[in-house]
Amino acid sequence: MQKYLIFSIVYVGFLLLGQPVSAQATLATHVSSPLPTDALRLTLAEAEQRFLSTNYALLAQKFNISAAQARELQASLFDNPEIYVERNAYNPYRQRFFESNEERKQWVVTYEQLLLLGGKRRKNVEYQRLGTEIEGHNFSDLVRTLQYELRTSFVRLYYRQQTLGVYQQQREALQRTLTIYQAQLNRGNVALKEVVRLKAALFSLESERKELVNDISELQASLNLLLGNRPPRVLLPVLPANPATGLRLSALPLAQALEVARASRPDLRAAETTTRQEQQNLRVQKALAVPDLTVGGIYDFNGAVGKNYTGITLGMPLPLFNRNQGNIRSAQAQIQASEQALNQQATAVETEVAEAYAKAAEAERLATSFPADYFTDFDKLLDGVLTSYQRKAIGTLEFLDFLESYKDNMVQLNEARADQLNSFENLNQQLGRRVFTW
């Protein structure tokens, strides 16, 4: 019976200490239920391509650009001419409708065209063009924000599925171990405390795994929303081995990073264009203070001065009371407000870049603090622990403690790898363009 127990423990030990597997392999081989038929395995490049073509928020923002272009077109159009026709409908003296007598028939035709003075149309076209430019910057900023969310969620999902593989291995191994020990307890070959320890370890593992599965579900939902998947699908991200190998901050000093952000951030470009648009609005409001000219002609068939009267008309409002003073002052105030908003945005950009740079530096420091073979050595140490466990040199409690430490280290390793990639992604986002690629 003791030989059978030792053989069982050794067998379970090998199960526990086998080579780590990827999350995709774990999902395929260790989950009790098979993969759903709608599971989608995709690389980050494929995810970004789908995102740009199917994300509903981006598609909606594109229509905002089209609407701004339509307003620009509308501002460039000339005012329509006006035509006025008058005909006497009833003669009360002769009690006739639409008098046909040449001496008593009367009809008048007038034609008028409004001519905008002061460059109103040209200045308004430029104002609307700047509005189109702002919408373009807003679109770029939305792409920047959502693409950052996509890439970071993709990375977190990948490494948390990797972590789920570690949990899945230990979960199944502990369940088998508990089954074996429970059987040996019933035969009186092991103490009750050994079984209780295994049950406690399995319960703790299940609780942690539940939180991890919930996080994965949230990331799946976020990515499905970004990709516009209807219905949602099970996503299996694919990343190359050690994707952060070439990420080094030394390639971009902080001062240079600030210059890149000032030149590339679409939200800063939008704030600058808004200031220019407010300045253009002041020009428009000053132009509106200039009276417009209305020119036209009139033909009167049977007028007071004789038949077939033809004349020209000129009209212009007199700027005695309303010279658009209020709108001009409002435009001047809006310029000052937009300038302060621009200063605030420029300060925010510099602050955000400096913060992201510091976080990326710390992530790089942590990643480079451990050599590439650090966890390989840790895996080798597991062999010694297994041998000691087989020889009864350590007990079940010590063995489980070491497994817990191994699991914690693998979890922290995956989190550190995800944090390193995402810290550089955050820096890219704050810079406004992809400077660091992987």
Side-chain angles (χ1 to χ4, degrees):
M1 186 64 67
Q2 290 181 349
K3 290 182 179 180
Y4 172 75
L5 178 58
I6 294 174
F7 174 77
S8 300
I9 293 174
V10 172
Y11 173 73
V12 173
F14 277 112
L15 288 176
L16 282 166
L17 300 175
Q19 285 292 334
V21 294
S22 66
Q24 287 80 5
T26 299
L27 288 174
T29 60
H30 291 282
V31 178
S32 57
S33 59
L35 277 176
T37 56
D38 62 344
L40 176 61
R41 190 186 307 270
L42 73 169
T43 64
L44 184 53
E46 293 170 341
E48 288 185 301
Q49 184 178 4
R50 294 170 65 94
F51 159 75
L52 293 174
S53 60
T54 60
N55 184 270
Y56 296 110
L58 292 186
L59 297 176
Q61 184 63 29
K62 285 183 179 180
F63 286 107
N64 290 339
I65 297 177
S66 299
Q69 292 172 338
R71 289 192 293 270
E72 184 179 347
L73 171 63
Q74 183 64 34
S76 68
L77 301 177
F78 289 94
D79 290 297
N80 291 324
E82 293 185 10
I83 187 170
Y84 168 81
V85 179
E86 179 183 332
R87 171 74 159 87
N88 61 327
Y90 179 69
N91 187 338
Y93 300 104
R94 294 166 57 91
Q95 297 183 351
R96 292 183 180 180
F97 290 92
F98 299 103
E99 179 68 67
S100 60
N101 188 294
E102 293 291 329
E103 298 297 327
R104 302 180 183 278
K105 181 171 62 175
Q106 169 69 1
W107 56 277
V108 180
V109 178
T110 62
Y111 173 90
E112 291 185 345
Q113 175 67 56
L114 178 66
L115 300 180
L116 300 179
L117 304 181
K120 293 183 181 67
R121 189 175 65 87
R122 173 177 51 81
K123 293 174 182 178
N124 191 34
V125 169
E126 177 61 18
Y127 176 83
Q128 297 298 339
R129 188 197 66 77
L130 291 172
T132 303
E133 185 176 333
I134 291 173
E135 291 297 337
H137 291 314
N138 290 339
F139 176 78
S140 298
D141 192 51
L142 182 62
V143 172
R144 176 182 72 99
T145 302
L146 294 182
Q147 199 166 38
Y148 167 73
E149 183 179 348
L150 173 76
R151 293 179 67 90
T152 54
S153 297
F154 189 96
V155 169
R156 285 199 300 270
L157 178 59
Y158 173 81
Y159 281 108
R160 289 189 182 177
Q161 286 181 344
Q162 294 285 323
T163 300
L164 183 62
V166 177
Y167 275 89
Q168 196 71 17
Q169 281 182 301
Q170 292 202 13
R171 176 195 184 197
E172 293 189 359
L174 282 174
Q175 285 176 335
R176 295 185 183 183
T177 305
L178 181 59
T179 300
I180 295 172
Y181 267 67
Q182 186 67 53
Q184 295 304 315
L185 175 64
N186 295 336
R187 296 184 178 93
N189 296 327
V190 296
L192 176 61
K193 65 179 181 179
E194 301 296 330
V195 175
V196 172
R197 288 169 180 170
L198 288 172
K199 288 182 178 180
L202 182 59
F203 180 79
S204 177
L205 185 69
E206 288 285 4
S207 298
E208 294 178 14
R209 182 182 176 279
K210 173 181 173 294
E211 295 298 324
L212 179 61
V213 170
N214 289 340
D215 289 343
I216 289 176
S217 297
E218 292 177 2
L219 291 171
Q220 291 270 3
S222 176
L223 282 173
N224 273 297
L225 180 61
L226 289 169
L227 296 176
N229 290 333
R230 299 177 65 183
R233 304 180 66 179
V234 176
L235 303 174
L236 301 178
V238 177
L239 285 179
N242 300 322
T245 302
L247 296 178
R248 292 294 180 268
L249 273 179
S250 57
L252 186 72
L254 178 57
Q256 185 178 350
L258 292 172
E259 291 299 324
V260 170
R262 295 187 189 104
S264 304
R265 280 281 290 265
D267 52 347
L268 185 57
R269 299 279 75 75
E272 292 173 348
T273 307
T274 299
T275 299
R276 289 162 47 205
Q277 188 185 42
E278 294 298 342
Q279 293 169 347
Q280 184 64 24
N281 182 49
L282 177 61
R283 300 185 185 98
V284 171
Q285 297 305 323
K286 288 182 177 180
L288 290 175
V290 178
D292 297 324
L293 178 65
T294 301
V295 298
I298 181 172
Y299 172 78
D300 192 337
F301 173 74
N302 195 14
V305 297
K307 288 188 176 182
N308 298 321
Y309 170 77
T310 303
I312 60 173
T313 61
L314 295 175
M316 177 180 289
L318 299 178
L320 298 179
F321 309 109
N322 181 1
R323 298 186 300 276
N324 210 34
Q325 304 97 312
N327 288 333
I328 291 174
R329 291 184 182 180
S330 174
Q332 291 171 338
Q334 289 299 319
I335 290 175
Q336 295 175 339
S338 65
E339 289 174 347
Q340 297 306 316
L342 176 59
N343 291 333
Q344 173 65 24
Q345 188 62 39
T347 303
V349 167
E350 294 175 358
T351 302
E352 291 167 358
V353 170
E355 179 185 4
Y357 197 92
K359 290 181 178 179
E362 180 60 21
E364 180 180 341
R365 184 201 65 79
L366 177 62
T368 56
S369 298
F370 301 96
D373 59 349
Y374 176 80
F375 286 94
T376 302
D377 295 339
F378 195 84
D379 287 338
K380 292 178 181 178
L381 183 59
L382 286 175
D383 295 334
V385 174
L386 174 60
T387 302
S388 299
Y389 183 53
Q390 294 171 359
R391 295 175 179 174
K392 295 297 183 178
I394 61 174
T396 303
L397 181 60
E398 291 81 3
F399 183 62
L400 291 176
D401 286 343
F402 193 85
L403 288 180
E404 181 72 15
S405 298
Y406 175 73
K407 180 203 67 180
D408 290 343
N409 275 275
M410 293 305 299
V411 171
Q412 292 173 12
L413 173 64
N414 287 330
E415 289 297 319
R417 287 172 174 171
D419 287 344
Q420 183 184 11
L421 289 178
N422 285 343
S423 64
F424 277 88
E425 282 303 320
N426 181 41
L427 182 55
N428 278 333
Q429 190 220 16
Q430 303 305 335
L431 294 174
R433 63 185 178 91
R434 295 191 56 75
V435 177
F436 301 95
T437 58
W438 45 272

